[in-house]
Amino acid sequence: MTALRKVLVANRGEIATRVIRACREEGLATVAVYSEADREALHVLMADEAYLIGPPPPAESYLSIETLVGVAKSAGADAVHPGYGFLAENAAFAEACAAAGLVFIGPPAAAIRTMGDKTAARRIARDMRVPMVPGTVEPVRGDDEARRVAREVGYPVMIKAAMGGGGKGMRLVRADAELDAALRMARSEATTAFGDGSVYLERYVEEPRHIEVQVLADAHGRVVHLGERECSIQRRHQKLIEESPSPCVDDALRRTLGEAACRVAKAAGYVNAGTVEFLVDREGNVYFLEMNTRLQVEHPVTEMVTGIDLVRAQLRIAAGAPLDVRQDDVTWRGWAIECRINAEDPFAGWLPSPGTITGLRPAAGPWVRDDSGAYEGCTIPRFYDTLIAKLIVWGPDRDTAIARMARALDEYKVTGVRTTIPVLARIIAHEDFRAGRLSTQLLERILPELAPAGGRFESIAVIAAVLAEYDRLRRPGATTYAAGTRPDGTPAAVPGHDTPAAPAPSAWRLGLRPGWRAGPRQ
Ligand code: MV4
């Protein structure tokens, strides 16, 4: 046991606030870090101390391993929580923390590295006799081998980047004739995105459901699973709504999936919280997909049905404590649903809608949870993920949870930026969602009717240009250009798109933490 005292939270937004809350409940001091775009962000206000780590582009701030480790050491932190995204699944970061004598609140670097290679993960699943999609367990060497395997497993097949995951760099191939070109494209995309052109093949599963199992593993060899989350409501690999349990998983399947997930975690030498992903086809066959070596965005739905605080568990596991639950102690009660509220305009091509939140009234009331990184007057910067908050509800059964989510979405008011709330409400009201007829294709099918581009459509060319501008702004050096800057240090509005910046009430005057003081500026 290494008793932790002070945790540096290497993240921003709602997940940073989630981790700070758990630390405070555990009696741990917290250190926030922030970029120039986040000077008045909620996580900065909530932490005991906060340190500026650089300009807005992530590569120069939240992704800078050297800066983060340096700040953790100089602030006297003894542990680092990476949250999700940014450096959460970066083995080099976990190693740099360990080398500096900091406890990384996540899995061992070796487990991150193993699972980062999706073919290595498939070899583990094969060795553990966990069912998986037919395909290769090594990267394919040449085009001839690829053709042979594709014919063997049968078309359609998917080409996936070995170092990819989360849907990036996948390519669907329906016939021999398309294979060579698809391989070339996939390899080149993988090289650009992951610095490694290795690809592997899998048979394509049509209209699958996306189900994932939460696991917790301690440093003493004990592994438990906390059941599944249904994550089929996605758009372009971004989940919009998640729930637990899944309407298509019964007790027997839960046990099968849970035991499979635990075997994979054990074989990988996994420690801390992790998630094992599966696909479920129309016939109910399940296939291992990959393992995510981090706390996930949608972890709250698991917390709500199991009563287990996953971030608290992460902190305790990192300190070397044995798990305080055995598998038989884990029970599931009721139903939980999460909706992701993003600053995006679903009626204008889902363009990011950064800016100042001029009015905010989150939903509240019984069995409603608001995991948020926002407050009235705060600014949603254009440099990061557009997630404003996660709205989570619990009910004794799925119908009650759905009615509660509909009520809560109706109650949730945000002005100043466009949000995904209206389209979330329409999905929740849709008969296929209510009937539990979920698949990864459902959203693509019903969105044209739920979120017509009509009213605010700005033409495809404008949308493409604005998206390219956001892309550019997120790259290193982007903030040193000549355009006018806002008082918060962020560049002026994207022409023709942004809502004009309204003067924000100063966050410093909100008095969220009377004792708050900024740490030394770097
Ligand atoms: C698949 C698949 C079908 N067949 N693999 C996407 C995220 C990443 N974790 C793996 N993903 C998928 N892999 C095989 N062999 C379907 C998905 C998938 C998906 C694909 C297209 C559109 C939406 C999707 C949502 C979830 C999963």
Side-chain angles (χ1 to χ4, degrees):
M1 289 280 294
T2 4
L4 305 182
R5 289 176 305 108
K6 198 182 209 182
V7 176
L8 179 132
V9 184
N11 216 302
R12 60 178 305 284
E14 71 83 21
I15 194 58
T17 71
R18 170 73 188 87
V19 173
I20 290 167
R21 283 174 168 143
C23 288
R24 188 143 298 134
E25 289 174 14
E26 286 293 290
L28 303 175
T30 52
V31 181
V33 293
Y34 61 97
S35 73
E36 284 162 11
D38 276 337
R39 287 176 187 278
E40 301 197 344
L42 184 59
H43 72 285
V44 174
L45 295 170
M46 282 177 68
D48 296 310
E49 302 167 45
Y51 296 85
L52 180 67
I53 51 166
E60 298 171 77
S61 49
Y62 298 104
L63 289 173
S64 174
I65 293 177
E66 209 180 311
T67 307
L68 291 164
V69 170
V71 168
K73 289 309 283 183
S74 66
D78 42 32
V80 174
H81 195 301
Y84 53 67
F86 293 131
L87 295 168
E89 295 180 275
N90 186 311
F93 183 50
E95 277 163 355
C97 288
L102 297 161
V103 174
F104 179 75
I105 303 169
I112 299 177
R113 201 161 269 133
T114 302
M115 290 306 180
D117 177 350
K118 306 304 163 186
T119 64
R122 279 172 64 81
R123 293 194 289 279
I124 288 178
R126 175 200 59 192
D127 295 346
M128 294 297 107
R129 301 186 191 294
V130 170
M132 61 180 171
V133 193
T136 64
V137 291
E138 303 278 353
V140 289
R141 281 184 294 268
D143 291 9
D144 294 344
E145 182 185 326
R147 176 162 298 97
R148 186 177 54 72
V149 175
R151 287 180 182 163
E152 215 169 272
V153 304
Y155 287 100
V157 296
M158 286 205 102
I159 306 174
K160 297 187 176 184
M163 296 303 174
K168 270 172 285 175
M170 300 190 330
R171 264 210 141 68
L172 175 59
V173 184
R174 295 212 169 265
D176 251 1
E178 303 167 9
L179 189 64
D180 283 5
L183 270 172
R184 221 173 316 117
M185 298 277 284
R187 283 212 165 94
S188 116
E189 272 177 29
T191 307
T192 310
F194 314 111
D196 184 323
S198 309
V199 297
Y200 65 106
L201 286 187
E202 280 181 4
R203 200 191 142 73
Y204 179 63
V205 181
E206 309 262 0
E207 277 210 54
R209 287 171 179 251
H210 191 263
I211 285 172
E212 58 187 31
V213 175
Q214 178 70 53
V215 298
L216 281 178
D218 68 18
H220 311 281
R222 191 183 280 176
V223 185
V224 299
H225 75 85
L226 304 187
E228 80 284 1
R229 293 185 286 262
E230 164 77 56
C231 303
S232 296
I233 303 297
Q234 336 195 339
R235 180 188 169 271
R236 303 202 176 157
H237 304 300
Q238 283 284 98
K239 296 163 188 164
L240 271 71
I241 301 175
E242 306 97 346
E243 57 186 295
S244 186
S246 162
C248 77
V249 174
D250 60 16
D251 290 349
L253 182 55
R254 178 166 308 112
R255 178 169 310 210
T256 305
L257 288 173
E259 285 172 2
C262 289
R263 288 207 303 283
V264 168
K266 228 176 214 155
Y270 204 83
V271 180
N272 217 284
T275 298
V276 182
E277 293 189 356
F278 296 90
L279 289 182
V280 181
D281 69 14
R282 290 194 208 102
E283 285 82 51
N285 301 305
V286 301
Y287 307 98
F288 168 82
L289 211 49
E290 56 189 75
M291 181 168 190
N292 300 320
T293 56
R294 60 170 190 275
L295 181 72
Q296 298 215 198
V297 178
E298 57 272 25
H299 75 276
V301 292
T302 299
E303 299 185 316
M304 302 300 269
V305 293
T306 62
I308 294 171
D309 180 332
L310 282 165
V311 181
R312 174 178 182 268
Q314 287 196 291
L315 296 169
R316 295 174 62 88
I317 289 167
L323 278 178
D324 53 12
V325 285
R326 284 161 310 192
Q327 190 61 60
D328 288 346
D329 299 331
V330 179
T331 54
W332 293 272
R333 189 161 159 267
W335 214 283
I337 305 176
E338 172 179 285
C339 280
R340 298 189 188 189
I341 297 175
N342 285 82
E344 289 174 9
D345 188 346
F347 304 101
W350 299 76
L351 273 180
S353 179
T356 298
I357 293 184
T358 52
L360 179 65
R361 194 191 67 198
W367 293 289
V368 172
R369 167 174 169 183
D370 177 43
D371 275 23
S372 173
Y375 58 85
E376 194 163 288
C378 81
T379 299
I380 306 295
R382 72 216 54 253
F383 301 96
Y384 314 111
D385 191 282
T386 56
L387 187 65
I388 300 173
K390 302 181 310 203
L391 176 60
I392 306 112
V393 304
W394 181 90
D397 53 55
R398 190 166 188 267
D399 289 347
T400 310
I402 287 175
R404 185 159 286 143
M405 180 59 86
R407 182 272 285 178
L409 284 168
D410 188 52
E411 227 175 88
Y412 212 115
K413 303 295 180 204
V414 183
T415 60
V417 301
R418 310 260 192 210
T419 77
T420 48
I421 291 172
V423 76
L424 291 167
R426 291 180 196 188
I427 299 166
I428 292 289
H430 196 277
E431 55 175 334
D432 286 353
F433 181 84
R434 296 208 161 206
R437 284 191 294 268
L438 311 177
S439 82
T440 50
Q441 261 74 48
L442 174 67
L443 216 50
E444 311 285 343
R445 194 170 65 237
I446 65 177
L447 273 182
E449 129 205 14
L450 299 191
R456 292 200 283 274
F457 197 76
E458 303 183 47
S459 99
I460 288 177
V462 170
I463 288 171
V466 175
L467 281 174
E469 174 65 359
Y470 286 120
D471 252 20
R472 198 189 65 75
L473 283 171
R474 288 167 198 202
R475 283 198 291 271
T479 48
T480 55
Y481 75 132
T485 53
R486 288 177 167 167
D488 66 356
T490 63
V494 174
H497 175 63
D498 280 13
T499 30
S506 171
W508 313 111
R509 286 193 279 104
L510 294 179
L512 287 176
R513 276 188 64 74
W516 190 89
R517 63 186 170 79
R521 295 278 153 84
Q522 298 220 309

